[in-house]
Amino acid sequence: MKSAIEALSALAQETRLSIFRALVRAHSPKEGEGGLAAGDIGAALDVPPATLSFHLKEMSHAGLVTSRRDGRSIIYKADLSAMRGLTEFLLEDCCGGVCGTVGTRQRKKECA
């Protein structure tokens, strides 16, 4: 519950949500690939370096963003496994297992 609240709080801000979406677009499933340098994120979203640093720190603390050094740059990458975990947490009790039904007379339908 605590990690879900932290992640949702981190995304409940326009700049951070824009950063996360940019990182998702630049994602690669391969380790050590994909992501964006801080300077590229700032330039693309018109966010000053100090502000960007603050937002990336908040997102990293919430477990939504990872970083790696590449030469002199720090490359940030969306942690999609964390987002999957958040989504699974939010949907784990979906409809009490009776998605798409109204009342008790209708037959159960599988959740999609």
Side-chain angles (χ1 to χ4, degrees), residues 2-68:
K2 183 179 177 184
S3 62
I5 291 169
E6 287 178 0
L8 291 169
S9 294
L11 292 174
Q13 199 280 340
E14 186 176 348
T15 302
R16 289 194 289 267
L17 186 56
S18 295
I19 291 167
F20 189 79
R21 289 174 50 98
L23 293 174
V24 168
R25 283 189 295 276
H27 186 76
S28 170
K30 294 182 179 179
E31 189 69 32
E33 293 184 13
L36 294 170
D40 293 338
I41 298 168
L45 301 176
D46 196 28
V47 178
T51 303
L52 180 64
S53 178
F54 169 77
H55 289 307
L56 287 168
K57 179 184 66 92
E58 291 295 308
M59 295 171 68
S60 179
H61 183 261
L64 296 171
V65 172
T66 61
S67 62
R68 70 179 188 278

Side-chain angles (χ1 to χ4, degrees), residues 60-97:
S60 179
H61 183 261
L64 296 171
V65 172
T66 61
S67 62
R68 70 179 188 278
R69 184 164 290 283
D70 184 13
R72 294 175 54 173
S73 297
I74 297 178
I75 307 298
Y76 292 89
K77 189 172 179 179
D79 187 339
L80 298 187
S81 65
M83 182 52 72
R84 275 189 215 94
L86 175 60
T87 303
E88 288 171 5
F89 171 76
L90 293 172
L91 299 176
E92 70 185 10
D93 296 323
C94 175
C95 314

